[in-house]
Amino acid sequence: MTDNGINVLLVDDEAVDLEWLRRRVAGHEQLSGASVRTASSGFAALNLMKQQRIDIILSDIRMPIMSGTEFARQAKEINPQVSIVFISGHEDFGYAKQAIQLNAYGYLLKPVEDGELNATLTELCGKIERERRQHTSLTETLSLVNQELLLRWFNESAPGDVEAHVRSFLAPMLQGGTAVAIVEIDDIAWKTSSSTAEERRAWLAGAAGFIRRFAQERNMGLVIDAYDSRFVLLAAVPEPSFSALLEELIRAFYAEFAFSVTIGTGMYTTAFDQLHDSYRQAQAALSIKWIVGKNRLIKDASQWRPKERIAPNLEEIVDRMLKAMLEYDLTTIDDCLLQLFDGDHPLSQKHEIYDLIIRITSKLHADLRQLNEHLYEILNWDAHQPLILFQFETVHDILSWLRRRFFELSELLYLKRQRQKRKLIDDITAYVKDRLEQKITLNEVAAHFNFTPNYLGQLFKAETNSLFSDFLNDLRMKRVCELLQEPTKKVYEIAEQVGYKNIIYFNRQFKQHMGMSPGEYRKKHNI
C-alpha cells in the first residue's frame, strides 16, 4: 500500500511513450510517492493486477495481440472498481464508442498535453479520495451505532425498538442501493479441532481482519462480525461489481488461509423495509450450502432446483408439511411423509431414498430460515445426520425414523410459538392492568405492541377464548371488587378510579357482570 493509497498502472507497447507517461504521472502533485507500475502488454498488466490492487489504469487502446479494449474488459473482471483512461491517436477515435461501452473514465488523444493529463489525474484522485472518505465515514458511524443492535434488528422477526436507530444509520447506503451478504468460513470446527481456544480466537481475529481490509480497500461496504464464523456485509457498490468482488474475496481468502468461504446474498434494494428481507434471503441462500457445495457464491435459494428426478411435486408436499408442523398437525405430517415415500411411484433404490431425504431436509431448512428458525439447532443435530439413514434396511424403518424426528420438530416449533404467544398475552395483561384507571382501548394496546387491532383481537380470542373487550371489562370489575372492600371509598369514587365517568353506566355494567349492584355486593360481603 502506498502513502496515499492510490496505485496506478500504465500500459503501452511503445517503450518511449510508456516512459514519457510514467515520468509525468509520477510527477503529478497528488500522486507523489504513489506506486506507478508499467506494463508493455495487456497480458503483463493483467498479471500485475492479480498481484496488487490497482486504482487507475492509463492504457493505449491499440496494442498487438491483446487490444486495449480487450485488456480493459478483463481488467474490469479482476477489479470492477478500477478507473480506466484510454490513450490513442486521432485515427483510432472510432474506438471511443468501445471505450464508452466499457464504462471508461476518460479518453485522451496523442500527443497528450500535460495540462489535459494533469486535469484528468486530478479528477480521478479526487473521485477516489471522496469514495474512500464516504466509506470511512460509514464505518465510523457503524462503530457508534453498536454492531449488536444492527445484528439484533436483522434477526428480529418483526420491527423492534432499535429500528429507528438503524434506519437513520442505513439511510446513506440505501440511497444508492444496497444488499446483504453473509460470509461463512467453511469447515472451521473440524479444521481447528486440534487448536486451543486461544489459538482459534487468534486465527479468527486474523481472518476477520483480512475480510475487513479486503472490503475496505475495494470500498465494498460495511463488514460486521456476526457469529459462528460468519460476517455480514452491506454492499456499497453496484450489484454487478458487488458480485464480482465477492467472487474475488472467495479466491483471495482461500489463497491466504487455505480455508474456503461460502457467501449467501440477498436482493438489492433502496427501501429500508426490504433490507430485512435481503438479510433473510442471504441466510436462506447460505442454508443450502451443504447441498449445492461450499467455496462459492449462492445468490438465490428460491431459484435452486436439483437436477435429480425425484418426487416432481415435492416442493408442494413439503410446503404443506411445513404448514402442518407449524400448526402441530401430526396427521397431515404423516400423510405428507407417506405421499413422499410411497405415492404412485415408490422409491426402491437406496441412493434415491437418500437423495429424497436431502431434498426434504434442505428445503425445510431453507424455508425455516425464512421464518428465523434453524432446523438443525431445533433438533440438535448436525447437517449430515441423515447419513444415519444408511444404517436402516427398509423404507419403513427410514420412514419411522423421519416421522419421529418431524413429529419432534413440530412439537418443538409449536411449543416455542405457544410460549411466545403466552408471553405476549402475559405482557398485554400486565400492560392493561397498569392502565386500568385510564381509558384504554384495543387500538392503543395494538399500537403499543406493533400489531394491527384486528390481528391482536383475533390472536387474543384464539389464545384466551375471550374477546378483548370482555377481558378488559372483567379486569375492571375485579379491580372494582377489590376497591369495594375498602368501606371508606364511595361508589362514585371507585367508578371514576377505574375509568367510568358515568355512574349510571357503571352501575349497569357492574350489575350485568356480577348479578348485583355495588351496594348489594358490599351488603352481601358485610362491608
Side-chain angles (χ1 to χ4, degrees):
M1 185 67 71
T2 65
D3 292 340
N4 60 17
I6 297 178
N7 300 319
V8 185
L9 175 61
L10 312 176
V11 190
D12 198 320
D13 63 313
E14 294 290 341
V16 174
D17 290 346
L18 192 60
E19 177 60 18
W20 176 91
L21 189 60
R22 186 193 67 76
R23 292 189 182 192
R24 278 152 184 77
V25 171
H28 188 274
E29 182 180 1
Q30 288 178 265
L31 293 173
S32 176
S35 168
V36 181
R37 308 288 296 273
T38 62
S40 59
S41 71
F43 295 108
L46 291 173
N47 286 332
L48 282 173
M49 290 190 69
K50 292 175 182 176
Q51 299 167 19
Q52 180 185 29
R53 176 182 57 81
I54 300 297
D55 301 297
I56 300 172
I57 294 175
L58 278 75
S59 173
D60 187 8
I61 204 165
R62 176 178 287 190
M63 294 186 293
I65 305 177
M66 179 184 287
S67 69
T69 53
E70 175 58 24
F71 157 66
R73 187 186 64 77
Q74 294 190 38
K76 282 282 188 180
E77 290 179 359
I78 295 174
N79 179 8
Q81 298 298 100
V82 69
S83 296
I84 301 175
V85 177
F86 285 119
I87 301 173
S88 77
H90 282 279
E91 68 274 12
D92 299 323
F93 198 68
Y95 283 111
K97 183 177 180 181
Q98 295 182 46
I100 293 171
Q101 290 173 342
L102 287 167
N103 196 26
Y105 183 82
Y107 193 96
L108 301 175
L109 292 176
K110 294 181 179 179
V112 179
E113 297 180 359
D114 286 350
E116 189 177 5
L117 177 62
N118 287 334
T120 299
L121 292 174
T122 299
E123 289 177 7
L124 275 171
C125 291
K127 168 180 171 287
I128 292 170
E129 289 169 359
R130 284 193 301 274
E131 290 173 350
R132 291 182 179 177
R133 279 197 304 270
Q134 180 185 16
H135 178 76
T136 301
S137 175
L138 288 170
T139 303
E140 290 172 350
T141 303
L142 177 63
S143 65
L144 298 174
V145 169
N146 188 327
Q147 295 181 9
E148 288 298 324
L149 285 179
L150 186 54
L151 289 175
R152 176 180 143 193
W153 177 74
F154 273 138
N155 286 289
E156 284 178 343
S157 57
D161 298 336
V162 303
E163 181 175 300
H165 192 60
V166 173
R167 185 186 291 269
S168 64
F169 157 67
L170 292 177
M173 298 191 72
L174 286 165
Q175 288 178 1
T178 190
V180 177
I182 303 177
V183 182
E184 181 176 69
I185 303 175
D186 300 323
D187 304 322
I188 191 168
W190 66 267
K191 281 191 175 181
T192 61
S193 58
S194 59
S195 304
T196 65
E198 184 176 346
E199 290 171 338
R200 188 173 184 272
R201 281 194 297 270
W203 189 92
L204 279 172
F210 178 87
I211 293 172
R212 286 195 210 95
R213 285 192 301 275
F214 184 96
Q216 183 175 5
E217 290 172 2
R218 291 156 181 79
N219 297 323
M220 288 177 67
L222 302 176
V223 178
I224 309 166
D225 288 8
Y227 55 91
D228 293 340
S229 313
R230 286 186 171 190
F231 305 86
V232 176
L233 207 162
L234 297 180
V237 294
E239 185 171 5
S241 299
F242 191 51
S243 294
L245 289 168
L246 291 175
E247 296 278 11
E248 184 186 346
L249 171 60
I250 292 170
R251 293 190 296 269
F253 193 91
Y254 189 83
E256 181 72 17
F257 297 101
F259 272 69
S260 63
V261 294
T262 303
I263 304 176
T265 63
M267 65 178 175
Y268 255 76
T269 181
T270 57
F272 176 80
D273 295 337
Q274 291 182 351
L275 193 60
H276 206 270
D277 297 331
S278 182
Y279 180 79
R280 289 277 178 269
Q281 291 170 358
Q283 284 185 313
L286 200 55
S287 72
I288 63 171
K289 175 181 79 172
W290 71 287
I291 298 300
V292 300
K294 59 190 176 186
N295 195 32
R296 60 178 295 170
L297 179 64
I298 307 172
K299 292 186 177 182
D300 189 353
S302 67
Q303 297 299 318
W304 174 75
R305 293 291 184 275
K307 296 178 181 178
E308 294 83 2
R309 185 179 58 82
I310 300 176
N313 59 339
L314 178 141
E315 304 275 335
E316 176 188 341
I317 298 171
V318 175
D319 284 342
R320 192 165 72 252
M321 185 163 62
L322 177 59
K323 183 175 183 293
M325 286 179 178
L326 296 174
E327 296 174 353
Y328 200 31
D329 183 353
L330 303 185
T331 301
T332 301
I333 296 172
D334 190 43
D335 289 343
C336 290
L337 283 171
L338 290 172
Q339 188 175 354
L340 285 167
F341 282 87
D342 294 340
D344 297 327
H345 304 285
L347 302 172
S348 57
Q349 299 298 318
K350 209 166 199 179
H351 74 86
E352 292 180 324
I353 295 171
Y354 183 57
D355 288 344
L356 177 59
I357 299 298
I358 292 176
R359 289 280 303 276
I360 295 171
T361 55
S362 63
K363 176 167 171 50
L364 276 176
H365 182 51
D367 290 348
L368 283 168
R369 292 306 294 144
Q370 295 279 15
L371 298 173
N372 204 27
E373 299 288 2
H374 196 293
L375 173 66
Y376 307 117
E377 288 179 359
I378 294 172
L379 289 176
N380 194 27
W381 64 355
D382 61 56
H384 297 285
Q385 188 163 351
L387 287 170
I388 195 175
L389 296 170
F390 275 92
Q391 299 177 9
F392 300 134
E393 296 184 358
T394 68
V395 174
H396 175 75
D397 291 338
I398 294 173
L399 184 58
S400 297
W401 185 86
L402 273 181
R403 182 183 290 113
R404 288 195 300 273
R405 300 322 303 263
F406 287 170
F407 282 5
E408 178 187 0
L409 173 62
S410 178
E411 183 176 12
L412 291 171
L413 286 171
Y414 178 77
L415 290 175
K416 183 176 181 179
R417 277 160 174 72
Q418 289 302 108
R419 286 194 297 271
Q420 291 172 340
K421 289 179 180 178
R422 188 64 256 171
K423 183 179 182 305
L424 175 62
I425 297 302
D426 290 343
D427 290 345
I428 290 172
T429 301
Y431 180 82
V432 171
K433 282 183 176 178
D434 289 343
R435 290 159 179 79
L436 274 178
E437 297 178 8
Q438 305 170 17
K439 186 179 180 182
I440 192 165
T441 65
L442 176 61
N443 287 350
E444 178 190 341
V445 177
H448 178 78
F449 288 93
N450 294 319
F451 293 110
T452 64
N454 186 50
Y455 175 80
L456 186 60
Q458 292 177 358
L459 177 65
F460 200 88
K461 179 69 167 64
E463 294 302 312
T464 66
N465 199 31
S466 172
L467 295 174
F468 181 82
S469 57
D470 293 340
F471 158 77
L472 179 59
N473 192 46
D474 185 57
L475 280 183
R476 279 193 170 134
M477 290 305 145
K478 287 179 180 177
R479 179 65 176 146
V480 168
C481 291
E482 291 174 4
L483 294 172
L484 286 171
Q485 301 294 323
E486 302 178 32
T488 57
K489 283 187 176 289
K490 294 181 171 54
V491 172
Y492 74 86
E493 293 176 335
I494 294 173
E496 289 181 356
Q497 187 171 338
V498 294
Y500 289 95
K501 302 303 180 185
N502 187 314
I503 187 65
I504 297 175
Y505 179 71
F506 165 74
N507 278 315
R508 185 180 296 117
Q509 287 287 87
F510 186 87
K511 187 167 186 177
Q512 182 179 341
H513 190 80
M514 301 298 298
M516 63 188 80
S517 68
E520 290 170 339
Y521 178 88
R522 275 181 163 172
K523 190 173 183 179
K524 179 180 179 181
H525 292 86
N526 299 317
I527 300 171

